[in-house]
Amino acid sequence: KQEVTQIPAALSVPEGENLVLNCSFTDSAIYNLQWFRQDPGKGLTSLLLIQSSQREQTSGRLNASLDKSSGRSTLYIAASQPGDSATYLCAVGDRGSTLGRLYFGRGTQLTVWP
Amino acid sequence: GAVVSQHPSWVICKSGTSVKIECRSLDFQATTMFWYRQFPKQSLMLMATSNEGSKATYEQGVEKDKFLINHASLTLSTLTVTSAHPEDSSFYICSAGLAGALGTQYFGPGTRLLVL
């Protein structure tokens, strides 16, 4: 069974810092990997989707990388802002199981203070 | 973009009653819908996967007689929590898979359930 781990569990930084959030997974036979943002009491917002054949994706200040062989992904946030405060979830799409099934990590709770 | 709605957004009920949560794909047809549960400071855990017109596939440890899922059309799936108990209090999130876009899911805003 796929297990997804996110480190750190929580992160508190001043505005302007560049951040790295880490995600690891146990089974490298993945279909894709996604990073989501979740605000308190809200649903999920998809940030970046990396297919298994890709190594990275970029959107604005966000960059996600994927190293499938080592079972790792990182989400890089440049020049963090207070509006970036949220929980960031990593999810792995499992190639071998039910169509579209995602395995989630517990998330990294990010606080960016002014 | 693809939008998924859930109704209600929050519900409070007495122990022993049943609660129905709706999940709708508003501007696309979803061949597959997923139901997740999230406890405070925990990750999303998949409860079941439903395909239109067929029985849902439940994850290990999820009671199918307690969490009834109906996927009557390509745009609507419902989750009914039967005989709810306080331990069923949680945040329930659905997602819809876009036909032809393997691995892409669009998530609803979630439903907060509190059982007294």
Side-chain angles (χ1 to χ4, degrees), chain B residues 36-64:
Chain B
Y36 296 85
R37 180 168 53 182
Q38 185 181 33
F39 293 105
K41 297 193 180 299
Q42 299 293 315
S43 185
L44 276 74
M45 296 299 295
L46 181 65
M47 299 175 66
T49 303
S50 73
N51 292 292
E52 184 264 340
S54 62
K55 291 184 178 180
T57 301
Y58 289 81
E59 294 297 303
Q60 190 173 9
V62 177
E63 300 175 56
K64 63 179 181 180

Side-chain angles (χ1 to χ4, degrees), chain A residues 31 34 38 43 99-101 104-105, chain B residues 34 38 43 59 102-103 105 109:
Chain A
Y31 190 83
Q34 297 184 60
Q38 185 177 29
L99 181 67
R101 194 197 196 291
F104 283 84
Chain B
F34 305 85
Q38 185 181 33
S43 185
E59 294 297 303
L102 185 64
Q105 292 184 32

Side-chain angles (χ1 to χ4, degrees), chain A residues 31-32 49 51 95 98-101, chain B residues 98-105:
Chain A
Y31 190 83
N32 56 32
L49 167 66
Q51 300 294 346
R95 178 183 292 276
T98 305
L99 181 67
R101 194 197 196 291
Chain B
L98 187 60
L102 185 64
T104 301
Q105 292 184 32

Side-chain angles (χ1 to χ4, degrees), chain B residues 67-81:
Chain B
F67 298 99
L68 301 179
I69 292 174
N70 183 278
H71 195 158
S73 75
L74 286 173
T75 59
L76 174 64
S77 176
T78 61
L79 168 67
T80 301
V81 183

